[in-house]
Amino acid sequence: MVSSLNFKRNRMATGRSRIPSNSIPQVLCPDPIINLTQLAAVKAREAAEAYFTLRHFDCAIMQARAAKELYPEFPGMDNYMAAYQIHSAVSHKKNWYHVLGIPNPAVADSEAIKKQYRRLALALHPDKNGSVAADGAFKYVKAAWDVLSDHAKREAYDKSLSPRSQGARGSNNRKPAQQQRSNACSRKRAGPDANSTGGDGSFYKKTVKIVRKSNPGQRATVVMLSVCRVA
């Protein structure tokens, strides 16, 4: 009888703690409601890490923000979000200015770039950031710093950014392919023959006459159909 009671006690003791001790905040409030809130924040942080490994960066940012709201004193959550945001910017093919958190490159001087780099480098340091995203995010920040800290590299990089917007504006001025083809067909005319081919063989036009008469006493319906093709 005594052995069975000891077995039940041991089984209950092992089933109480299902959350790793290293993931629970070290300082717990005596209030059980606050403790549950802190544990929910831990779960949100774990969900953020899981979303990141699946490359769902926006979901990872949302979960990290939820952990921060549940437990504002949660250590390191701002650094977690910074790492996720850097990966999200790179995945959306943002430029190096956006990776460093500089929205307007036109007003960013060398001092502002250096300040942002130092802030992110400190936030992504292993001693300050335990996220699995920290290492990759630091490599992106370092790559951005290598380009933007050098005057010649930054000037060349800024020039490479401007043609993208010009190309986007130029593409809007292009006419649709169907409209271009119809205009090309209207500019070229068929020869005296019904079937005409241009000198380069790129144009073809044919007119077909269709006569339809249903009853003997009914007036015939005539349809003229022109076919135009541009190779």
Side-chain angles (χ1 to χ4, degrees):
M1 184 66 178
V2 176
S3 60
S4 61
L5 291 176
N6 292 335
F7 174 75
K8 292 181 179 180
R9 291 174 182 174
N10 293 335
R11 186 174 60 180
M12 293 175 61
T14 56
R16 287 173 183 169
S17 179
R18 296 184 180 180
I19 302 175
S21 58
N22 57 356
S23 64
I24 303 176
Q26 296 180 357
V27 180
L28 293 178
C29 180
D31 191 345
I33 301 300
I34 297 179
N35 288 342
L36 291 176
T37 304
Q38 293 179 359
L39 295 178
V42 172
K43 289 299 182 181
R45 184 187 65 179
E46 294 175 354
E49 292 285 270
Y51 275 122
F52 172 78
T53 57
L54 296 175
R55 300 189 62 83
H56 297 324
F57 303 131
D58 295 336
C59 294
I61 295 172
M62 291 175 59
Q63 290 293 329
R65 187 176 291 115
K68 179 70 175 179
E69 292 176 356
L70 288 169
Y71 183 29
E73 294 80 14
F74 206 156
M77 288 314 304
D78 291 332
N79 298 339
Y80 275 59
M81 280 190 285
Y84 301 148
Q85 289 169 354
I86 292 171
H87 283 276
S88 178
V90 175
S91 67
H92 288 88
K93 298 182 180 180
K94 300 293 185 180
N95 56 48
W96 290 132
Y97 292 99
H98 283 84
V99 171
L100 291 182
I102 301 174
N104 191 359
V107 298
D109 54 3
S110 301
E111 190 63 28
I113 295 174
K114 182 187 295 185
K115 183 178 180 180
Q116 281 295 103
Y117 168 72
R118 289 180 176 177
R119 183 185 69 83
L120 291 175
L122 181 62
L124 299 174
H125 193 274
D127 294 339
K128 300 289 185 179
N129 197 326
S131 172
V132 294
D135 186 44
F138 178 77
K139 293 179 180 178
Y140 290 133
V141 170
K142 185 64 170 57
W145 169 251
D146 291 340
V147 173
L148 300 181
S149 62
D150 187 272
H151 179 72
K153 291 182 180 179
R154 181 185 176 186
E155 185 176 359
Y157 180 72
D158 291 343
K159 290 181 180 179
S160 68
L161 294 177
S162 55
R164 298 179 184 177
S165 57
Q166 293 177 1
R169 290 194 298 268
S171 61
N172 295 332
N173 297 329
R174 296 179 181 177
K175 296 181 180 180
Q178 184 177 2
Q179 185 176 357
Q180 290 179 355
R181 178 163 293 188
S182 61
N183 293 340
C185 182
S186 63
R187 287 195 300 267
K188 295 186 177 182
R189 302 296 180 184
D193 190 7
N195 301 331
S196 175
T197 305
D200 56 353
S202 61
F203 175 73
Y204 173 80
K205 183 177 181 180
K206 185 175 182 180
T207 302
V208 181
K209 182 178 180 180
I210 302 175
V211 180
R212 182 179 179 184
K213 189 175 182 180
S214 302
N215 300 322
Q218 187 179 2
R219 187 176 179 180
T221 303
V222 180
V223 178
M224 302 296 293
L225 180 63
S226 297
V227 179
C228 177
R229 185 181 67 185
V230 179

